[in-house]
Amino acid sequence: MARHPQEHDYLPAMGKDHLLPFYDVCTWLLGVGRIHRRLVELAAIEPGHRVLEIGCGPGGLVLRAQRMHPDAEVVGLDPDPLALAKARRKAARAGLPVRFDQGKAGDLPYPDESFDRVLSSFMFHHLDDDEKRRALAEARRVLRPGGQLHLVDVAGHHHGRFGHRMLRNERLRDNAGDGVPDRMRAAGFTDVRTGERGRLHTTFYRATREG
Ligand SMILES: C[S@@+](CC[C@H](N)C(=O)[O-])C[C@H]1O[C@@H](n2cnc3c(N)ncnc32)[C@H](O)[C@@H]1O
């Protein structure tokens, strides 16, 4: 049976397709650009690195990564064709050679050991339990030995009323405490580190695929 156009097997950036046009302005108002910049800095991308973002949405992080590292090969992946169309338009306007692929984090269309860095920003809480497990296993599979996963997401820590409200959402609650690093270790990553805490209840994580 054909799906209703708004019925997806993934949770889109703003929850609903018709809200996507507001994504960039909302993230701009919330200062998400600074979080993206910090994630790229922490990833320590080198010339010639192949860099993948899983769940790139309309492309804010990958476009920034490509601007900051013109000698890297940057790829953004997302299941949402509307977000990808927007990202491709922005890349074309900015003259940035980022490649965008449609796909899901739990089933990456790339060979083993084909990236030096995998990035993930505000995506992990969009996944259910099973997809979280598969996404981390896939990130590890496509990373070269010594390659790193750099992830930032909400609800790694939580204070006050806003935090408690967020934790009512099961996918966010799952990020609390050591939820993310425990999952990274279970996926076989080593040297898993919980790093800085940023604005918007965010936490930065780093995990390495053993060399
Ligand atoms: C809040 S947006 C974040 C977009 C971008 N990473 C950023 O920082 O602005 C979450 C994105 O995750 C994507 N997403 C949802 N389920 C996914 C999955 N299974 N695999 C990859 N991406 C997924 C959504 O389509 C959406 O674009």
Side-chain angles (χ1 to χ4, degrees), residues 33-46 61 64-65 68-69 117 119 148 150 196 204 206:
R34 270 176 281 162
I35 294 170
H36 284 166
R37 168 177 289 280
R38 189 64 190 135
L39 189 69
V40 176
E41 286 169 357
L42 290 167
I45 295 164
E46 294 171 16
L61 174 66
R64 186 174 292 264
M68 289 168 69
H69 297 281
R117 296 287 182 267
L119 310 179
Q148 293 172 353
H150 289 264
E196 299 168 23
F204 292 85
R206 185 187 89 185

Side-chain angles (χ1 to χ4, degrees), residues 136 174 176-189 192 194 205:
L136 290 173
D174 195 48
D178 289 331
V180 177
D182 284 350
R183 282 179 181 278
M184 288 171 157
R185 284 188 201 96
F189 281 101
V192 174
T194 300
Y205 305 92

Side-chain angles (χ1 to χ4, degrees), residues 9-124:
D9 61 354
Y10 58 87
L11 182 63
M14 294 285 281
K16 304 253 185 249
D17 287 346
H18 68 273
L19 297 176
L20 181 69
F22 303 106
Y23 185 77
D24 284 342
V25 75
C26 287
T27 51
W28 179 76
L29 287 170
L30 290 168
V32 168
R34 270 176 281 162
I35 294 170
H36 284 166
R37 168 177 289 280
R38 189 64 190 135
L39 189 69
V40 176
E41 286 169 357
L42 290 167
I45 295 164
E46 294 171 16
H49 267 178
R50 295 199 74 230
V51 179
L52 168 69
E53 186 193 1
I54 47 177
C56 66
L61 174 66
V62 272
L63 296 180
R64 186 174 292 264
Q66 186 74 82
R67 243 185 238 112
M68 289 168 69
H69 297 281
D71 297 332
E73 193 181 325
V74 181
V75 178
L77 170 130
D78 202 282
D80 182 354
L82 299 175
L84 289 174
K86 207 171 154 79
R88 287 190 180 107
R89 279 199 300 276
K90 282 158 59 180
R93 266 203 310 271
L96 292 168
V98 177
R99 190 176 107 203
F100 291 98
D101 295 325
Q102 187 169 9
K104 295 177 77 180
D107 185 16
L108 295 177
Y110 308 110
D112 297 356
E113 302 185 8
S114 49
F115 288 94
D116 301 284
R117 296 287 182 267
V118 173
L119 310 179
S120 170
S121 159
F122 296 105
M123 189 280 284
F124 209 54

Side-chain angles (χ1 to χ4, degrees), residues 130-152:
D130 192 44
E131 181 75 348
K132 279 181 181 166
R133 206 170 312 122
R134 280 185 291 142
L136 290 173
E138 281 290 85
R140 186 174 177 280
R141 180 184 66 76
V142 302
L143 275 169
R144 298 191 172 122
Q148 293 172 353
L149 166 65
H150 289 264
L151 186 152
V152 66

